[in-house]
Amino acid sequence: MKNIRNFCIIAHIDHGKSTLADRLLDFTHTVTEREKQDQLLDNMDLERERGITIKSHAIQMEYEHKGEHYILNLIDTPGHVDFSYEVSRSIAACEGALLIVDAAQSIQAQTISNLYLALEHDLEIIPVLNKIDLPSANPEEVTDDIIDLLGCKREDIIPASGKTGFGVDKILDAIIDKVPAPKGDPSAPLQALIFDSVYNPFRGVETYFRVINGEIRTKQRIKFMATDKEYFADEVGTLKLNQVPKSVIKTGDVGYLITGIKEAQEIKVGDTITDALNPSKVRIDGFEDVKPMVFAGIYPIETEDYEELRHSMEKLKLNDASLVFLPESSMALGFGFRCGFLGMLHLEIIQERLEREYDMTVITTVPNVSYHAYTKKNPDTPLLVNNPSDLPDPSGLDRVEEPFIKATIITKSEYVGPVMSLCIEKRGVIKNQTYLTTDRVELHFDMPLSEIVFDFYDRLKTVSKGYASFDYHPLGMRESKLVKVDILLNSQPVDALSSLIHTDNAFTIGKKMVEKLRQLIPRQQFDIPIQAAIGAKIIARETIKAVRKDVTAKCYGGDISRKRKLLEKQKEGKKRMRQVGNVEIPQQAFLAVLKLND
């Protein structure tokens, strides 16, 4: 056990985690020349296309150091704020972390938040200054920033380059010398922490675990403590580039388990595996439960695909434990699911993965957040409002509370003005402003979560020319003046398009929504009024004009009453059509509401 090291790599987006992981694999000869490729651990098409890591990836390396044989278990983590739950799970399974900082971009918001996450779990931090071969690198200044952040010595920081492989040997030596060996009792009853799982259509659920105490053997009878279900361990092994079956995985090591489970909901990430015959009395304190930030409805285009969508969501949840979903139904869209996501990028990735991996074409409703509503009858008991249509009648409403976040933005000093204007426009209140260096500023804002859900991140990148990094933490619920804006189509409310909006913005947003819908909904045989309303009060209206047939074309000359009769007849027909007519809303209309500023 003293020769095992478990460590993860944490950094901000684009600071070179995956490239450096490639160099570590090359240096330890874990991959052959034939298997080599860039971003080797990013095995999803989406990750390669977008150049981001979405999933944590575990792999085992072997390394000779001073004549001794060491086993190094590496977990590469994502850098984007929307996948911070993946990072927290990886950190729970490790004793050390490589903190990578880009020598050209210096410390960013996500660097700091991932560092605090690692320090909470008492991980040994090894600072690495990456990309020192870039012409724009500024190693001296960035080294000073790292010293200020960590309080470490200058010689503790390892200069490296993921591209050329410079400094990789020093990183490996530092991992062996500084990261503590795992602690645990090999003779105690088995305790293993599940930190990830994937669904294999041929072999069922594959579970990735880290043994804390005891050992796990092939053909052993094991038990999952959260569900109390028992299985036989058909196969256990370690995670190299491909799975390597072993007869036993001992204390402190990381491995995979196949039990032939076909039902996705029987495995819970964060659960404890123990021996069925000699079970452990206590469960391992896993990582905290995920707190979804953004909610949206996902519906199948064909109603009969509902069951298939449910199975797809369950399999996806195995691989992405931060996805939360509950069944719901909508008048406009039928049966579907209300899903919780960690942010807008997460929502986009889930939608893409459903389409690519499970061939499910889905409709996504307008994303929103959860509110607390208090009625005058029960002013102390909050009602959870997930959907604007669940909001109680305004006449009996006492107050509405919405979730607030603490936003940390790090940017260059020349962009402070535009960034502040954007945050204030989004109802943000500045709490603190710190100059990290002469030209880099850290800003802290308290902001409503609903304001950052839509286009905040994109606009932040635009106003700062890509030089701002953004991170946030939930602060809890606060009272706000919110109103429910309904969209009426042909006098019928469309529940999927209603939203809760701050009183000051209700008129502007209502007007923009009806104008956008007028462009997107195709013309019918009758006039379609599109209205935005708060309660019974209409605040904006647009009309889609009817496609008209010229019924008087055949009347040349003759009595005017003949033409009038034909026009009146047409008018009657239009009126009847409007009463029974249905208006189909295209999918672009739901998505257009997100891009009101375009």
Side-chain angles (χ1 to χ4, degrees):
M1 209 165 80
K2 68 178 178 38
N3 285 13
I4 296 176
R5 300 287 183 271
N6 298 318
F7 69 100
C8 59
I9 300 185
I10 53 175
H12 188 75
I13 314 158
D14 248 8
H15 280 203
K17 295 178 296 301
S18 301
T19 313
L20 202 65
D22 290 349
R23 295 297 78 77
L24 290 169
L25 296 177
D26 292 349
F27 199 83
T28 53
H29 307 295
T30 307
V31 290
T32 60
E33 284 294 327
R34 244 183 89 185
E35 293 166 328
K36 270 187 198 175
Q37 54 172 322
D38 288 345
Q39 274 83 44
L40 186 72
L41 296 180
D42 293 351
N43 51 14
M44 227 189 286
D45 294 346
L46 264 174
E47 292 179 313
R48 293 185 166 282
E49 280 169 28
R50 290 173 179 246
I52 56 173
T53 304
I54 294 167
K55 284 285 306 159
S56 299
H57 298 279
I59 192 163
Q60 191 176 85
M61 305 181 285
E62 293 179 15
Y63 185 57
E64 287 276 338
H65 177 69
K66 294 180 182 169
E68 281 199 60
H69 187 75
Y70 287 89
I71 289 175
L72 311 177
N73 290 311
L74 151 73
I75 304 179
D76 180 23
T77 64
H80 197 281
V81 64
D82 280 11
F83 305 113
S84 54
Y85 187 62
E86 289 282 330
V87 182
S88 74
R89 285 162 42 190
S90 308
I91 283 173
C94 294
E95 280 86 26
L98 293 182
L99 180 74
I100 294 183
V101 180
D102 187 328
Q105 296 182 49
S106 190
I107 290 160
Q108 303 285 318
Q110 207 56 33
T111 318
I112 296 170
S113 84
N114 285 343
L115 170 69
Y116 288 153
L117 207 61
L119 290 174
E120 273 171 36
H121 284 78
D122 292 333
L123 263 62
E124 179 65 40
I125 308 290
I126 299 172
V128 176
L129 186 62
N130 196 19
K131 303 192 186 179
I132 55 159
D133 57 321
L134 286 183
S136 57
N138 196 344
E140 289 304 313
E141 196 178 305
V142 179
T143 302
D144 292 339
D145 292 349
I146 297 173
I147 292 168
D148 290 346
L149 178 68
L150 287 175
C152 60
K153 298 190 181 77
R154 188 173 284 271
E155 55 270 21
D156 292 342
I157 300 166
I158 304 168
S161 162
K163 194 155 84 182
T164 62
F166 173 76
V168 171
D169 51 339
K170 292 197 178 98
I171 294 173
L172 287 164
D173 293 347
I175 291 165
I176 289 165
D177 296 338
K178 293 183 181 174
V179 174
K183 295 181 178 69
D185 182 358
S187 56
L190 167 67
Q191 270 186 318
L193 173 74
I194 299 175
F195 65 87
D196 204 356
S197 52
V198 291
Y199 189 81
N200 181 327
F202 305 106
R203 310 192 66 183
V205 179
E206 295 175 0
T207 311
Y208 298 162
F209 62 85
R210 148 92 197 267
V211 183
I212 307 292
N213 292 316
E215 59 184 34
I216 185 166
R217 295 180 170 276
T218 309
K219 303 297 179 227
Q220 181 179 351
R221 191 169 179 80
I222 52 152
K223 176 176 160 187
F224 292 105
M225 293 182 83
T227 54
D228 258 351
K229 296 267 176 89
E230 295 185 6
Y231 301 96
F232 281 104
D234 293 342
E235 184 179 310
V236 295
T238 51
L239 295 153
K240 292 284 180 74
L241 192 57
N242 301 312
Q243 295 170 340
V244 181
K246 296 271 176 80
S247 57
V248 60
I249 304 282
K250 299 191 172 178
T251 313
D253 213 347
V254 172
Y256 72 91
L257 161 74
I258 295 173
T259 51
I261 300 172
K262 289 283 192 261
E263 288 300 313
Q265 61 268 46
E266 289 183 23
I267 300 275
K268 288 187 168 51
V269 168
D271 190 7
T272 305
I273 304 171
T274 188
D275 186 13
L277 305 174
N278 177 21
S280 165
K281 301 285 184 290
V282 287
R283 284 171 60 174
I284 304 161
D285 287 336
F287 11 87
E288 73 285 351
D289 273 343
V290 60
K291 295 181 187 70
M293 293 288 203
V294 175
F295 295 87
I298 288 187
Y299 294 84
I301 286 188
E302 301 295 332
T303 323
E304 60 264 28
D305 292 343
Y306 173 73
E307 278 301 314
E308 203 180 321
L309 178 62
R310 199 185 73 214
H311 291 310
S312 304
M313 298 282 268
E314 283 169 357
K315 287 173 191 170
L316 199 54
K317 185 172 168 56
L318 262 184
N319 197 231
D320 185 349
S322 51
L323 172 66
V324 178
F325 62 91
L326 292 165
E328 74 163 0
S329 62
S330 145
M331 282 159 54
L333 301 167
F335 289 104
F337 295 96
R338 175 163 188 77
C339 306
F341 306 96
L342 297 182
M344 287 297 283
L345 178 68
H346 189 208
L347 183 154
E348 211 178 303
I349 295 292
I350 292 289
Q351 195 179 343
E352 285 246 354
R353 286 185 70 184
L354 278 171
E355 287 181 9
R356 287 182 186 211
E357 294 172 30
Y358 303 101
D359 289 331
M360 296 299 310
T361 318
V362 292
I363 290 177
T364 312
T365 62
V366 180
N368 58 13
V369 297
S370 280
Y371 300 90
H372 284 175
Y374 295 84
T375 54
K376 287 175 182 166
K377 277 187 184 172
N378 296 332
D380 300 327
T381 316
L383 288 169
L384 190 66
V385 179
N386 284 330
N387 223 328
S389 50
D390 303 341
L391 194 72
D393 188 80
S395 56
L397 200 60
D398 181 47
R399 66 187 189 280
V400 180
E401 290 182 349
E402 66 174 327
F404 267 69
I405 53 155
K406 181 181 179 133
T408 305
I409 297 170
I410 296 178
T411 185
K412 288 193 166 184
S413 49
E414 63 202 86
Y415 304 120
V416 169
V419 168
M420 275 186 163
S421 313
L422 172 65
C423 293
I424 290 161
E425 178 197 324
K426 296 281 187 183
R427 298 193 283 136
V429 177
I430 188 157
K431 288 290 175 189
N432 197 356
Q433 179 178 349
T434 322
Y435 275 81
L436 301 171
T437 63
T438 46
D439 66 338
R440 283 173 69 249
V441 188
E442 186 177 27
L443 303 166
H444 291 277
F445 284 90
D446 285 1
M447 293 172 77
L449 179 64
S450 57
E451 293 286 349
I452 70 152
V453 162
F454 290 150
D455 56 350
F456 178 78
Y457 198 66
D458 296 342
R459 288 184 61 195
L460 177 69
K461 288 287 181 199
T462 310
V463 298
S464 65
K465 296 192 172 60
Y467 275 106
S469 63
F470 171 68
D471 181 45
Y472 59 84
H473 300 283
L475 280 178
M477 309 297 275
R478 295 186 185 176
E479 191 178 338
S480 280
K481 285 185 182 170
L482 297 167
V483 287
K484 178 182 159 198
V485 175
D486 283 315
I487 298 294
L488 309 175
L489 207 59
N490 200 13
S491 308
Q492 297 296 318
V494 181
D495 57 351
L497 287 173
S498 53
S499 49
L500 281 173
I501 295 169
H502 195 265
T503 321
D504 300 349
N505 306 337
F507 174 72
T508 328
I509 289 182
K511 190 161 174 50
K512 279 184 180 174
M513 276 166 90
V514 293
E515 283 172 359
K516 199 88 175 179
L517 287 171
R518 196 195 77 192
Q519 297 162 15
L520 288 165
I521 293 174
R523 290 169 72 184
Q524 309 283 336
Q525 292 285 334
F526 52 95
D527 281 6
I528 307 170
I530 306 172
Q531 297 161 310
I534 299 173
K537 182 184 171 195
I538 305 292
I539 55 168
R541 167 176 173 145
E542 290 284 337
T543 307
I544 300 172
K545 296 312 258 178
V547 180
R548 275 195 63 212
K549 182 182 174 188
D550 191 357
V551 287
T552 58
K554 59 180 181 250
C555 298
Y556 43 93
D559 190 2
I560 183 69
S561 59
R562 176 97 181 100
K563 289 183 179 175
R564 194 166 290 141
K565 185 182 165 189
L566 285 167
L567 288 167
E568 286 298 323
K569 195 176 168 189
Q570 185 187 36
K571 198 170 165 186
E572 282 299 312
K574 299 270 187 209
K575 191 175 172 186
R576 194 167 60 249
M577 214 186 266
R578 186 159 153 195
Q579 284 165 355
V580 297
N582 254 343
V583 183
E584 284 288 317
I585 306 169
Q587 164 71 0
Q588 296 99 305
F590 295 110
L591 300 175
V593 186
L594 314 184
K595 302 187 172 75
L596 287 178
N597 285 324
D598 287 5

